[in-house]
Amino acid sequence: MAKITFLNPEFFWLFLLIPLAIIWLVLKRNQQSATLKVSSIKGFKTKQSALAKFKPYLSVFRLLALSSLIIAMARPRTVDISNRTKTTKGIDIVMAVDVSGSMLAKDLKPNRMEALKRVATDFVEQRPNDRIGLVVYASEAYTKTPVTSDKAIVEQAIQSIKYDNVLQDGTGIGMGLATAVNRLKDSKAKSRVIILLTDGVNNAGFIEPETAADIAKQYGIKVYTIGIGTNGMAEFPYAVAPNGQFLFQMMKVEIDERLMKSIAQKTDGKYFRATSNSKLAEIYNEINKLETTEIQELKFYDYDEKFRPFVWLAGILVLIEIGLRNTVYKSFI
């Protein structure tokens, strides 16, 4: 019954008539049959048969019929709802992630890179209707995942990010931004966005960040920039021990915030500073809210009317009562 709804539930107020009908039938029960007055009943059997005892309950058929009609008028029905969504404004997003050795710094827990991977994965899961790509960069840059709607591939690519010396160490912000622009410049999406994350200053690559920002602006690509790292000192890796483990020491955190703000301002984006795990999560949540996807949701309702069985039941009950009153219980007077 949990799936049954009623189109006209106000008809259930008619059930208030049932007690009144019962009272009326009780008061009128002696008038339901013809009576014959005699001076004495000696010689007549006074014990009622089972059939005679059942006669007063004929009115129950009428009450049940009335109840069935009330339910039928309330129009019980089940509904099957199917949803279809149509994206009317798609967004293509490329995340450009710094994978230089400084991303192993431990000011975010357990380190900057692992904190980013968790937050970026959550961000992807919250964008089911957009296409997302992934670019990684250090002194050079390459596309780890092209722009795709397959979120499983993107999430797998994010989880596989690690510092492995595939790219020469350094921070080529211009290289990362230019590679991300290259992935989006031919996109037909209504909105194109780059999320550029770094934890240092531009010190490598042959493309200047300002030049890459100008190219992004030319193509109408918005860039959100994120500087990741605490204010002050942090544990940075500075060497590798004989056992292959990184050695850490306290070093000053340096982020070229002026450059990051300039890139964001030039492309109509916004600059953020992530100084903790929670702050990083808040930044991605804010970007998620700023870049909303317009979705048209279509709902289709398939109704299955259930009132007909109650109408048939009411009719059958009335026919049974009428049939019994005019056959088995028909009076000869």
Side-chain angles (χ1 to χ4, degrees):
M1 291 294 290
K3 295 183 178 179
I4 294 180
T5 60
F6 295 89
L7 180 62
N8 304 310
E10 61 273 10
F11 279 105
F12 284 125
W13 287 103
L14 293 176
F15 274 112
L16 295 175
L17 297 177
I18 300 297
L20 298 177
I22 294 174
I23 294 172
W24 183 83
L25 290 172
V26 170
L27 295 176
K28 298 292 183 178
R29 67 183 184 278
N30 292 330
Q31 301 178 17
Q32 298 298 313
S33 302
T35 58
L36 177 65
K37 294 182 179 181
V38 295
S39 58
S40 175
I41 59 171
K42 285 184 178 181
F44 292 95
K45 291 181 179 180
T46 58
K47 186 177 180 181
Q48 285 186 319
S49 65
L51 197 61
K53 290 180 180 179
F54 180 74
K55 185 178 181 181
Y57 295 102
L58 286 178
S59 299
V60 174
F61 288 99
R62 196 178 308 175
L63 294 174
L64 291 176
L66 178 59
S67 299
S68 294
L69 287 176
I70 292 173
I71 295 174
M73 288 188 294
R75 291 285 295 276
R77 59 183 182 174
T78 58
V79 58
D80 179 29
I81 304 176
S82 57
N83 295 327
R84 294 181 185 177
T85 58
K86 178 183 178 183
T87 303
T88 57
K89 183 182 178 183
I91 298 178
D92 280 358
I93 301 172
V94 170
M95 291 186 288
V97 179
D98 186 347
V99 293
S100 59
S102 57
M103 285 292 288
L104 299 177
K106 296 181 178 181
D107 47 351
L108 274 69
K109 303 302 178 185
N111 58 49
R112 295 173 181 177
M113 190 172 292
E114 292 301 318
L116 169 67
K117 288 161 64 173
R118 294 173 186 173
V119 173
T121 300
D122 290 340
F123 176 80
V124 171
E125 291 177 350
Q126 295 175 39
R127 311 292 302 191
N129 301 295
D130 300 321
R131 300 197 309 162
I132 299 177
L134 180 64
V135 168
V136 295
Y137 70 93
S139 62
E140 300 172 314
Y142 70 91
T143 301
K144 195 169 183 66
T145 303
V147 177
T148 177
S149 58
D150 191 332
K151 300 303 184 293
I153 291 178
V154 179
E155 291 176 13
Q156 184 178 2
I158 292 172
Q159 293 304 316
S160 67
I161 294 176
K162 61 181 179 178
Y163 177 75
D164 54 10
N165 283 326
V166 172
L167 299 175
Q168 183 178 348
D169 203 10
T171 303
I173 296 174
M175 299 295 291
L177 180 54
T179 303
V181 170
N182 191 49
R183 304 311 310 181
L184 288 176
K185 64 184 180 64
D186 296 323
S187 168
K188 303 300 181 183
K190 297 292 183 181
S191 181
R192 294 169 293 177
V193 172
I194 293 173
I195 301 175
L196 177 69
L197 183 141
T198 187
D199 66 345
V201 297
N202 186 70
N203 56 21
F206 55 84
I207 299 178
E208 291 297 324
E210 292 85 353
T211 302
D214 289 333
I215 298 172
K217 181 180 179 181
Q218 181 181 349
Y219 283 105
I221 298 172
K222 186 185 298 184
V223 182
Y224 290 104
T225 56
I226 302 174
I228 183 170
T230 57
N231 294 310
M233 307 290 287
E235 286 187 81
F236 279 86
Y238 71 94
V240 179
N243 61 1
Q245 298 294 319
F246 285 99
L247 300 177
F248 292 84
Q249 67 180 10
M250 297 299 294
M251 298 174 62
K252 183 176 176 57
V253 175
E254 292 186 67
I255 297 176
D256 193 343
E257 291 192 288
R258 184 196 61 78
L259 173 62
M260 302 297 278
K261 290 177 181 178
S262 174
I263 293 173
Q265 184 178 8
K266 185 177 293 186
T267 60
D268 297 324
K270 192 174 180 180
Y271 170 69
F272 303 91
R273 179 68 183 267
T275 56
S276 64
N277 293 56
S278 59
K279 186 62 178 177
L280 181 62
E282 290 174 8
I283 290 169
Y284 272 87
N285 286 335
E286 184 171 348
I287 295 174
N288 188 40
K289 293 176 183 177
L290 289 171
E291 294 299 325
T292 56
T293 303
E294 295 177 10
I295 302 173
Q296 180 182 0
E297 184 177 31
L298 304 176
K299 286 190 176 183
F300 299 89
Y301 296 85
D302 183 19
Y303 293 102
D304 184 11
E305 299 288 350
K306 300 293 185 182
F307 69 90
R308 294 178 183 85
F310 292 97
V311 175
W312 280 104
L313 177 61
I316 292 171
L317 290 172
V318 170
L319 289 175
I320 291 174
E321 183 195 5
I322 294 175
L324 290 174
R325 289 190 185 278
N326 288 279
T327 55
V328 177
Y329 295 106
K330 184 176 182 180
S331 176
F332 64 89
I333 299 179

